[in-house]
Amino acid sequence: LYPFKAALADGTFWSTGIGALLALIGILLTAVMMTKKVPGGILVGILVTWGLGMICELTGIYVPNPKLGMFSVMPSFANGISVPSLAPTFMQMDFSAIFTFNFITIMLSFMFVDLFDTLGTLIGVASKAKMLDKDGKLPKIEGALLADSIATTGGALLGTSTVTTFVESSAGVAVGGRTGLTAVTAAVLFFLSLFFAPIFLAIPAFATAPALVIVGFLMVSSLLNVDFDDMTEAIPAFIAAVAMPFMYSISEGISMGVISYVAINLLSGEYKNKKTSWIVYVLAVIFILKYIYV
């Protein structure tokens, strides 16, 4: 308890710990609303937590400190409302190194990261929406992958961060979203948010953190489908689930899961009793080579 008392005494807690405390409050509020099946409970949780942050800033409990990554939670319209120009980043590609080895390794790295991030998210969200078939496959996944690849390419041409499938989509699934209308509605709202950037940019990380925690909880339920009596299935699934948050990447978690799955089955001889596709073994080799050379 001494570090905690010292932090309270010198004010460090109130300058750095209040964000974590507000995030915890937001998680509890969001969980209660989800339990009560309040429509838009996750969004309400974000807004309420943000509101509490505003109150804390106005009362001096929350003190913005950019050096500590703590910014003001009050919207600022000092620069007015306008959509930033794309000119500085639009079509700013450099193909001078396209025939070099470094370019190939970078291209393959991005390809694997984007591909397996997308596959992991699609399967996870589809599982939550109960859209997988009896074999655990997503019917007509080609269309979803094509849409994702077009969006990724378009985003790159515009100079934005990678446009891809995000696991936050499960928040929409949790409140009943099952069709393309959900995605279209989200797209329209994202477009409108361009004109209200000062408002949305002021929403702090501790206000959105509860939503991400709840989304993580929703995704964890998929682990119930793992056969924990089969160690060759359960251990790789566990390794993949643990690796994703610690390595901060869905694709890295999938890589660890595939490598461990192949290694355990080969070394234990269980591969003889399984009808595992040869593609899995090829992927395991590719993932290992990626870690060695990239």
Side-chain angles (χ1 to χ4, degrees), residues 99-170:
F99 296 110
T100 64
F101 179 74
N102 286 338
F103 178 84
I104 295 175
T105 57
I106 292 174
M107 180 186 68
L108 291 175
S109 297
F110 276 107
M111 183 192 74
F112 281 117
V113 169
D114 188 59
L115 175 62
F116 288 100
D117 269 354
T118 299
L119 284 174
T121 301
L122 280 175
I123 298 300
V125 174
S127 174
K128 186 63 182 177
K130 302 187 185 304
M131 291 182 174
L132 302 181
D133 60 20
K134 61 180 181 180
D135 297 321
K137 298 179 180 180
L138 177 61
K140 300 181 179 180
I141 191 175
E142 296 86 358
L145 291 175
L146 178 61
D148 183 88
S149 61
I150 292 174
T152 300
T153 304
L157 295 176
L158 294 173
T160 69
S161 55
T162 304
V163 180
T164 187
T165 309
F166 280 90
V167 74
E168 285 81 357
S169 298
S170 60

Side-chain angles (χ1 to χ4, degrees), residues 51-62:
L52 292 174
M54 289 182 180
I55 295 173
C56 289
E57 182 172 340
L58 291 173
T59 56
I61 298 177
Y62 175 84

